[in-house]
């Protein structure tokens, strides 16, 4: 679904550092640079996909946007307000507008609560609905995510992985949010179930005018659901473009490597696989210059010392690379 021209969220210079305590007195020895100076926007009604290797900062970014964790610096502009500075009552009010669908449907649901209890919990916190009204709302939400209302009395262990994720989606929808972070919502599911959940998310978005940040490892999954895609490496977005554009014309060497790893259904077509040398650098000791230069097969001398700026290589296609 394509979004409007109005931005729902604008991120400016967003960073997050985690301090590692060590030693007898707990003094800070190292700092993990999880997210480094991110700037991007998400339009109302669109899906922005975020891809990259494990540990690149995707999930941290999602949690920062909905203020589940505190940013170290930067701005998160939501509805023309800098929510990075929100605290207390302001932050609680924000919870109704922003929700998250977690990666693991097995650990994200309370095993001691029934399906009805899980979905109705946010309604009890954020609305003044009576018990009967909450019950009717749970039935309505179960119907929206493709589950019969009879499942309301069951407990998480009685459901399959796909059904649990549908319950997680229903819980996120309960308070009519405007923005949902989908944190790898299909990575723990079987391939056959993944497409069902992705189609459900797309239909819900169209019906409710939702805005998504969709986080995943693979470009193939993200391409299917996203309007635009951002590629992350070591806490920075290195390329950002429309889903079709980034798939057909990748500019950054890291994006090219990710796309080359996608299995090709055409067995007769020969596809060159780009193998990245070395390991991802330690986020407590980031490389100088371009963060990707230690693994890049097109590395130049300036890449080792100068940080590349994000530039618009073609209309709507941004890349941070000295090649452009």
């Amino acid at each position: 679904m394509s979004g409007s021209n109005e931005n729902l969220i604008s991120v400016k210079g967003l960073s997050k550092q985690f301090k590692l305590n060590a030693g007898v007195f707990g003094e800070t020895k190292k700092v993990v640079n999880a997210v480094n100076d991110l700037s991007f926007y998400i339009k109302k009604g669109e899906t922005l996909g975020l891809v990259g290797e494990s540990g690149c900062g995707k999930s941290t970014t999602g949690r920062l946007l909905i203020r589940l964790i505190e940013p170290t610096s930067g701005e998160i502009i939501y509805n023309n307000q800098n929510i990075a500075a929100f605290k207390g009552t302001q932050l609680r009010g924000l919870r109704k507008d922003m929700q998250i669908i977690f990666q693991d449907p097995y650990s994200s649901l309370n095993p001691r609560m029934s399906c009805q209890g899980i979905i109705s919990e946010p309604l009890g916190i954020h609305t003044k609905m009576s018990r009967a009204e909450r019950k009717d709302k749970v039935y309505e939400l179960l119907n929206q995510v493709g589950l019969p209302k009879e499942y309301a009395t069951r407990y998480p262990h009685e459901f399959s992985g796909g059904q649990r994720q549908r319950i997680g989606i229903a819980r996120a929808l309960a308070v009519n949010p405007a923005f949902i972070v989908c944190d790898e919502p299909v990575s723990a599911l079987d391939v056959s179930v993944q497409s069902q959940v992705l189609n459900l998310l797309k239909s819900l978005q169209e019906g409710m005018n939702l805005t998504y940040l969709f986080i995943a490892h693979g470009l193939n999954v993200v391409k299917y659901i996203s309007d635009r895609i951002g590629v992350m490496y070591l806490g920075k977005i290195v390329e950002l473009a429309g889903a079709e554009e980034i798939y057909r014309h990748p500019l950054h060497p890291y994006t090219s490597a990710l796309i080359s790893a996608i299995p090709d259904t055409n067995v007769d077509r020969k596809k060159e696989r780009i193998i990245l040398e070395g390991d991802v650098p330690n986020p407590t000791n980031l490389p100088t210059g371009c963060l990707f230069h230690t693994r890049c097969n097109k590395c130049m001398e300036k890449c080792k010392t100068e940080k590349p700026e994000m530039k618009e290589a073609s209309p709507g296609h941004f890349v941070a690379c000295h090649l452009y």
Side-chain angles (χ1 to χ4, degrees):
M1 177 181 177
S2 60
S4 69
N5 291 324
E6 188 179 348
N7 294 342
L8 182 71
I9 293 179
S10 296
V11 175
K12 300 175 182 177
L14 186 65
S15 295
K16 178 61 182 178
Q17 296 177 333
F18 292 101
K19 295 180 179 179
L20 300 180
N21 293 329
V24 178
F25 302 103
E27 67 272 18
T28 300
K29 293 288 187 182
K30 292 181 179 179
V31 173
V32 176
N33 299 283
V35 172
N36 302 303
D37 195 26
L38 285 187
S39 295
F40 61 89
Y41 63 86
I42 308 175
K43 295 178 182 178
K44 282 187 177 179
E46 83 161 341
T47 299
L48 176 67
L50 210 53
V51 296
E53 294 169 285
S54 294
C56 73
K58 306 184 302 295
S59 294
T60 302
T61 300
R63 283 164 168 74
L64 285 169
L65 291 196
I66 61 173
R67 289 298 316 279
L68 284 184
I69 54 178
E70 291 280 327
T72 303
S73 60
E75 295 182 354
I76 306 165
I77 310 298
Y78 173 76
N79 279 342
N80 300 315
Q81 290 182 296
N82 182 15
I83 63 170
F86 276 20
K87 296 190 182 299
T89 308
Q90 277 185 312
L91 197 55
R92 183 180 173 126
L94 189 68
R95 298 284 176 239
K96 192 174 179 182
D97 283 355
M98 297 177 148
Q99 290 290 312
I100 185 169
I101 300 166
F102 293 99
Q103 174 181 357
D104 188 357
Y106 292 89
S107 62
S108 63
L109 303 181
N110 188 337
R112 295 176 179 271
M113 294 178 72
S114 67
C115 174
Q116 181 171 316
I118 289 167
I119 298 173
S120 66
E121 186 177 28
L123 294 172
I125 296 170
H126 294 290
T127 73
K128 295 181 180 178
M129 286 183 176
S130 65
R131 182 172 291 184
E133 287 173 328
R134 293 202 299 268
K135 189 175 183 180
D136 289 340
K137 182 66 175 177
V138 169
Y139 290 162
E140 180 189 325
L141 288 162
L142 285 173
N143 180 60
Q144 277 185 289
V145 298
L147 294 174
K149 67 178 185 179
E150 290 77 23
Y151 284 9
T153 55
R154 295 187 182 181
Y155 286 79
H157 72 272
E158 300 178 76
F159 295 102
S160 67
Q163 289 172 330
R164 289 189 198 201
Q165 197 59 291
R166 288 172 187 265
I167 294 168
I169 294 168
R171 176 178 60 186
L173 295 174
V175 288
N176 296 317
F179 176 64
I180 298 179
V181 172
C182 305
D183 188 8
E184 302 196 39
V186 297
S187 63
L189 306 177
D190 291 338
V191 174
S192 59
V193 182
Q194 286 185 7
S195 60
Q196 295 173 19
V197 174
L198 289 173
N199 287 331
L200 172 63
L201 288 170
K202 288 185 80 168
S203 65
L204 289 169
Q205 182 180 43
E206 290 168 6
M208 302 175 70
N209 195 30
L210 295 167
T211 303
Y212 292 149
L213 175 69
F214 192 93
I215 297 166
H217 280 102
L219 267 166
N220 52 342
V221 172
V222 172
K223 176 177 175 282
Y224 177 72
I225 197 170
S226 303
D227 297 297
R228 292 183 300 128
I229 295 174
V231 180
M232 280 193 80
Y233 185 78
L234 275 182
K236 287 189 76 73
I237 291 179
V238 296
E239 189 166 0
L240 180 63
E244 287 292 336
E245 169 69 13
I246 211 166
Y247 196 88
R248 292 177 180 175
H249 306 291
L251 298 181
H252 199 281
Y254 179 60
T255 310
S256 299
L258 290 180
I259 289 174
S260 77
I262 299 173
D264 197 334
T265 53
N266 188 341
V267 293
D268 296 324
R269 182 166 52 204
K270 288 188 176 182
K271 186 176 179 181
E272 183 184 354
R273 175 73 193 275
I274 301 171
I275 306 295
L276 295 178
E277 301 293 334
D279 297 321
V280 179
N282 190 329
T284 62
N285 185 24
L286 296 176
T288 57
C290 174
L291 297 176
F292 187 61
H293 86 258
T294 58
R295 305 172 73 195
C296 183
N297 58 2
K298 297 180 180 178
C299 178
M300 302 176 288
E301 277 306 310
K302 69 185 299 185
C303 300
K304 300 175 183 178
T305 55
E306 295 180 31
K307 287 185 178 180
E309 296 294 322
M310 187 71 101
K311 294 180 179 178
E312 193 169 15
S314 61
H317 195 151
F318 298 86
V319 64
C321 180
H322 289 307
L323 292 171
Y324 305 95

